[in-house]
Structure formats: C-alpha cells, structure tokens
Amino acid sequence: MKILGIESSCDETAAAILEDGKIISNIISSQLIHKTFGGVVPELASRAHQKLVSQVVKQALDEAKITKEEIDAIAVTNRPGLVGALLVGVNFAKALSLGLEIPIVGVHHIEGHMHAYFIENPELKPPFLTLVVSGGHTQLVHFKDFGEYELVGQTVDDAAGEAFDKVAKMLGIEFPGGPNVDKKAKNGNPKAYRFPRPMIDSGNFNFSFSGMKTAVRVFLQSLSKIEIEENLEDIAASFQEAVADILVIKSIKAAKELKLNKIVVTGGVAANSRLRSLMFERASKNGIEAMFPKPVFCTDNAAMIAFCGWKLIQKGMKSDLKMTAHPSVSIAQ
Ligand code: KG4
Ligand code: ZN
C-alpha cells in the first residue's frame, strides 16, 4: 500500500510517500519568509503553503518514482495547528482524494510526532512513554498501544520550543531560535548561570516554561549589551541546560511511576543536542531506554503523518470529505 502524507500545520510544507510502512520519499520545504519577522506569521504561512503544496507533493512523487495514480490513500494533518495553514493541506488532500477516488485520513499532528521513531525503527513495541516537545506542545503521553493514549502531563503555559524561540529573540539570535540556540550553546558553559527549574517538585508531571522566559529576561536586564554579547554562548548553554534538565527529570519520574522502561522523545525540540545527551545519560542510569528519531523526523515532516495514517488505515479508520481543520484538539480526546 502506497500512502501520500501531507503536512502543513505550521511553517513547513511537507509531503512523503510511504510504501507498506517504508518511507520512499520525504520532502520538506521550510518557509524562510518568517525569518524577517522573527516568528511564524500565520497569514504568510497559509499563502506560502498554497504556493508550495502541489510542487512539494509532485517532488515527493518524483522522488518515489511513482505517479499520483499509484497512490492508494492520503494521510493529511488536520489538527491542531494554524487553521489557515492546515486548511491548505486538507483541501489539497481532499481534492486529490476525490479526483483519484482513494481514501483519505485526517491525522492529529501530535499523534504524527508520536509515530516518528517508528519510521526507522518499526520493531518498537508499545507501551512506552512519549515526550512530545515542539513549538506548540510539551506533553508526556503514555503510548499504551496504537490509537490508545493517556495524557500524563503537559505544560500549563508555554511550550518548551516557544521558550527556546523567545529566549533566542531576547538574545538577538536569529530565527529559528531553537536550532540556533543549540548551535551557540555548543561553545558555552552550561554551568555559567543557574536558571530556575519551575515546577520541578510540583508532585505532578506538568511543566511551566513561561517563568523561565521571565527569569532570562530579568537576568538580561542586569547586563549591558556588551556583557550579553560577550557571554552569549554561556547564557544560551545555561538556559538550554535548564530546559533539558526539567524535561529529563520529569520524563524519568513519570516513566518510573508508570513502570515504563522506554521513553521516546519527539517533536522539534527533540532535535536538541543537549536534551538528547542528557536524556540518554540519565535514562540509562535509571535502567530506562531513551529513543529519539533522527533530527529530520523530530521537526515537522510528512513521513510521520504518512506512518501514523498507515496505522489508522490498518485500524479501519477513514475520514470523509466533511473532514476539516481544527486549530486545537487534545491528543487524549
Ligand atoms: O515540531 P516542530 O517542528 O513544529 C511544531 O509542531 O511546533 O517544532 C518546532 C520547534 C521550534 O520551537 C524550534 O525552535 C524547536 O522546535 N527546535 C529546537 C531545535 N530544533 C527545533 N529547539 C531546540 N533545539 C533544537 N535543535
Ligand atoms: Zn510539530
């Protein structure tokens, strides 16, 4: 079975072809237009998706060396995300499904992220704990089985990726913030400054990142512009260390409480080098196996959407042409 996956929930226009669970093409076009504004501008994202979607799908078909008539089904992200952006992918997918007379399935973006590790590791068996860390979400989810999830904890305010992006902006680090903070932090001392670890002893598995942003802002106000520039790498490394520390501590606590010996970390922030090394180190000390998809499958892509759609189709799930985009829907609903 050949599935076309389409993803357009934020600022990546992506398409992938999956054949019987194997990715045979994976095209991601990141919209550079948002760089000028230091963040994603929803209206510009929708317009860019409109321009790019057919081209990206064509590229995915060409790379897979198949024609559109050879596709058996379409999986498309339809929730949650920027509604205008989602609608571009959803409408394109619906038109294609109607024209080709093939089934279509709407995929939850976070459920898609939760399937990213399977792309290269189909032997992984649930149950396990998933930490989904992206620009819009920070959630711990108990992946009991395919389609069976329980929300264990989540951020009560900002997502970890959002904190990376906002702190990057405060530091004058170019958009996209997260990957660039990661780069700067490589030459910095993570112990140079001690930023707070909010909610670390909250007694639940929730997170809070908005206070961290404030802590960094207040700290920066105490420095001159030159001092910030001179210590940029240390500040970036210390902030990154605090975020990674919180995510790792909470994930390991949750895994232990739920008696799960596997943690799969996914979403854009899972590409972070320090989160990866700290999670591997502490998980192994606790007899837990930590797993991360390779970075290209951590950030938004359509391969994870195609894979998740394939699993949904196997379960007999299908959407119809009434399917539409929803800006915010929890994974546990
Ligand atoms: O999953 P994703 O591509 O899109 C959403 O669903 O939000 O995640 C994007 C987020 C952004 O906040 C970006 O700054 C962050 O992931 N990110 C990173 C890294 N790569 C992407 N954050 C820290 N370190 C990275 N290497
Ligand atoms: Zn995402």
Coordinates of all heavy atoms in Angstrom, one line a residue, residues 236-273:
A236 N 23.2 31.0 26.5 CA 22.5 30.0 25.7 C 22.6 28.6 26.3 O 21.7 27.9 26.5 CB 23.0 30.1 24.3
A237 N 23.9 28.2 26.7 CA 24.1 26.9 27.2 C 23.4 26.7 28.5 O 22.9 25.6 28.8 CB 25.6 26.7 27.3
S238 N 23.5 27.7 29.4 CA 22.8 27.6 30.7 C 21.3 27.5 30.6 O 20.7 26.8 31.3 CB 23.2 28.8 31.6 OG 24.6 28.9 31.7
F239 N 20.7 28.3 29.7 CA 19.3 28.2 29.5 C 18.9 26.8 29.0 O 18.0 26.2 29.5 CB 18.8 29.3 28.5 CG 17.5 29.1 27.9 CD1 16.3 29.2 28.7 CD2 17.4 28.6 26.6 CE1 15.1 29.0 28.2 CE2 16.1 28.4 26.1 CZ 15.0 28.5 26.8
Q240 N 19.6 26.4 28.0 CA 19.4 25.1 27.3 C 19.5 24.0 28.4 O 18.7 23.0 28.4 CB 20.4 24.9 26.2 CG 20.3 23.5 25.5 CD 21.2 23.4 24.3 OE1 20.8 23.8 23.2 NE2 22.4 22.9 24.5
E241 N 20.5 24.1 29.3 CA 20.7 23.1 30.3 C 19.5 23.0 31.2 O 19.0 21.9 31.6 CB 22.0 23.5 31.1 CG 22.4 22.4 32.1 CD 23.0 21.2 31.4 OE1 23.3 21.2 30.2 OE2 23.1 20.1 32.1
A242 N 18.9 24.2 31.6 CA 17.8 24.2 32.5 C 16.6 23.6 31.8 O 15.9 22.7 32.4 CB 17.5 25.7 32.8
V243 N 16.3 23.9 30.5 CA 15.2 23.3 29.8 C 15.4 21.7 29.7 O 14.5 21.0 30.1 CB 15.0 23.9 28.4 CG1 13.8 23.2 27.7 CG2 14.7 25.4 28.5
A244 N 16.6 21.3 29.3 CA 16.8 19.9 29.2 C 16.7 19.2 30.5 O 16.1 18.1 30.6 CB 18.2 19.7 28.6
D245 N 17.2 19.8 31.6 CA 17.1 19.2 32.9 C 15.7 19.0 33.4 O 15.3 17.9 33.8 CB 17.8 20.2 33.9 CG 18.2 19.6 35.2 OD1 18.4 18.3 35.2 OD2 18.3 20.3 36.2
I246 N 14.8 20.0 33.2 CA 13.4 19.9 33.6 C 12.8 18.7 32.8 O 12.1 17.9 33.3 CB 12.6 21.2 33.2 CG1 13.2 22.3 34.0 CG2 11.1 21.0 33.5 CD1 12.7 23.7 33.5
L247 N 13.0 18.7 31.5 CA 12.3 17.7 30.6 C 12.8 16.3 31.0 O 12.0 15.4 31.1 CB 12.6 18.0 29.1 CG 12.0 19.3 28.6 CD1 12.5 19.6 27.2 CD2 10.5 19.2 28.5
V248 N 14.1 16.2 31.3 CA 14.6 14.9 31.6 C 14.1 14.4 33.0 O 13.7 13.2 33.1 CB 16.2 14.9 31.5 CG1 16.8 13.6 32.1 CG2 16.6 15.1 30.1
I249 N 14.2 15.3 34.0 CA 13.8 14.9 35.3 C 12.3 14.4 35.3 O 12.0 13.4 35.8 CB 14.0 16.0 36.3 CG1 15.5 16.3 36.6 CG2 13.3 15.8 37.6 CD1 15.8 17.4 37.5
K250 N 11.4 15.2 34.7 CA 10.0 14.9 34.7 C 9.7 13.6 33.9 O 8.9 12.8 34.3 CB 9.2 16.0 34.2 CG 9.1 17.2 35.1 CD 7.8 17.4 35.7 CE 7.9 18.3 36.9 NZ 6.6 18.8 37.4
S251 N 10.4 13.4 32.8 CA 10.1 12.3 32.0 C 10.5 11.0 32.7 O 9.8 10.0 32.7 CB 10.9 12.3 30.7 OG 10.6 13.5 30.0
I252 N 11.7 11.0 33.4 CA 12.2 9.8 34.1 C 11.3 9.5 35.3 O 10.9 8.4 35.5 CB 13.7 10.0 34.4 CG1 14.5 9.9 33.1 CG2 14.1 8.9 35.4 CD1 15.9 10.1 33.3
K253 N 10.8 10.6 36.0 CA 9.9 10.4 37.1 C 8.6 9.7 36.6 O 8.1 8.8 37.2 CB 9.6 11.7 37.7 CG 10.3 12.0 39.0 CD 9.6 13.2 39.7 CE 10.6 14.0 40.6 NZ 10.1 15.2 41.1
A254 N 8.1 10.2 35.5 CA 6.8 9.7 35.0 C 7.0 8.2 34.5 O 6.2 7.4 34.8 CB 6.3 10.6 33.9
A255 N 8.1 8.0 33.9 CA 8.3 6.6 33.4 C 8.4 5.6 34.5 O 7.8 4.5 34.5 CB 9.6 6.5 32.5
K256 N 9.1 6.1 35.6 CA 9.3 5.2 36.8 C 7.9 4.9 37.4 O 7.6 3.8 37.8 CB 10.3 5.8 37.8 CG 11.7 5.6 37.3 CD 12.6 6.3 38.3 CE 13.7 5.4 38.8 NZ 14.6 6.1 39.7
E257 N 7.2 6.0 37.6 CA 5.8 5.9 38.2 C 4.9 4.9 37.4 O 4.2 4.1 38.0 CB 5.2 7.2 38.4 CG 3.8 7.1 39.1 CD 3.4 8.3 39.9 OE1 4.3 8.8 40.6 OE2 2.2 8.6 39.8
L258 N 5.0 5.1 36.1 CA 4.1 4.2 35.2 C 4.7 2.9 34.9 O 4.2 2.1 34.2 CB 3.8 5.0 33.9 CG 3.0 6.2 34.0 CD1 3.1 7.1 32.8 CD2 1.5 5.9 34.3
K259 N 5.9 2.6 35.5 CA 6.7 1.4 35.3 C 6.9 1.1 33.8 O 6.7 0.0 33.3 CB 6.0 0.2 36.0 CG 5.8 0.4 37.5 CD 5.5 -0.9 38.2 CE 5.6 -0.8 39.7 NZ 5.2 0.5 40.3
L260 N 7.3 2.2 33.1 CA 7.7 2.0 31.7 C 9.2 2.1 31.5 O 9.8 3.0 32.1 CB 7.0 3.1 30.9 CG 5.4 3.1 30.9 CD1 4.9 4.4 30.3 CD2 4.9 1.9 30.1
N261 N 9.8 1.2 30.8 CA 11.2 1.2 30.7 C 11.7 1.8 29.3 O 12.9 1.6 29.0 CB 11.8 -0.1 31.0 CG 11.3 -1.2 30.0 OD1 10.6 -0.8 29.1 ND2 11.7 -2.4 30.2
K262 N 10.8 2.5 28.6 CA 11.2 3.1 27.4 C 10.6 4.5 27.3 O 9.5 4.7 27.6 CB 10.7 2.3 26.2 CG 11.4 1.0 26.0 CD 10.8 0.2 24.8 CE 9.6 -0.7 25.3 NZ 9.1 -1.6 24.3
I263 N 11.5 5.5 26.9 CA 11.0 6.8 26.7 C 11.3 7.2 25.2 O 12.5 7.1 24.8 CB 11.7 7.9 27.6 CG1 11.4 7.5 29.1 CG2 11.2 9.3 27.3 CD1 12.1 8.4 30.1
V264 N 10.3 7.6 24.5 CA 10.6 8.1 23.1 C 10.4 9.6 23.1 O 9.3 10.1 23.5 CB 9.6 7.4 22.1 CG1 9.8 8.0 20.7 CG2 9.8 5.9 22.1
V265 N 11.4 10.3 22.7 CA 11.3 11.8 22.7 C 11.1 12.3 21.3 O 11.9 11.8 20.4 CB 12.6 12.4 23.3 CG1 12.4 13.9 23.5 CG2 12.9 11.8 24.7
T266 N 10.2 13.1 21.0 CA 9.9 13.5 19.7 C 9.4 15.0 19.6 O 9.1 15.6 20.6 CB 8.9 12.5 19.1 OG1 8.5 12.9 17.8 CG2 7.6 12.4 19.9
G267 N 9.2 15.5 18.4 CA 8.9 16.9 18.2 C 10.2 17.7 18.0 O 11.3 17.2 18.3
G268 N 10.0 18.9 17.5 CA 11.2 19.8 17.1 C 12.3 19.9 18.2 O 13.5 19.8 17.8
V269 N 11.9 20.0 19.4 CA 12.9 20.2 20.5 C 13.7 18.9 20.7 O 14.8 18.9 21.3 CB 12.3 20.8 21.8 CG1 13.3 21.0 22.9 CG2 11.5 22.1 21.5
A270 N 13.1 17.8 20.3 CA 13.9 16.5 20.4 C 15.1 16.5 19.6 O 16.0 15.6 19.7 CB 12.9 15.4 20.0
A271 N 15.2 17.5 18.6 CA 16.5 17.6 17.8 C 17.6 18.2 18.6 O 18.7 18.2 18.2 CB 16.2 18.4 16.6
N272 N 17.2 18.8 19.8 CA 18.2 19.5 20.6 C 19.4 18.6 21.1 O 19.1 17.5 21.8 CB 17.5 20.2 21.8 CG 18.5 21.0 22.6 OD1 19.1 20.6 23.6 ND2 18.8 22.2 22.2
S273 N 20.6 19.0 20.9 CA 21.7 18.1 21.2 C 21.8 17.8 22.7 O 22.1 16.7 23.1 CB 23.0 18.6 20.6 OG 23.2 19.9 21.2

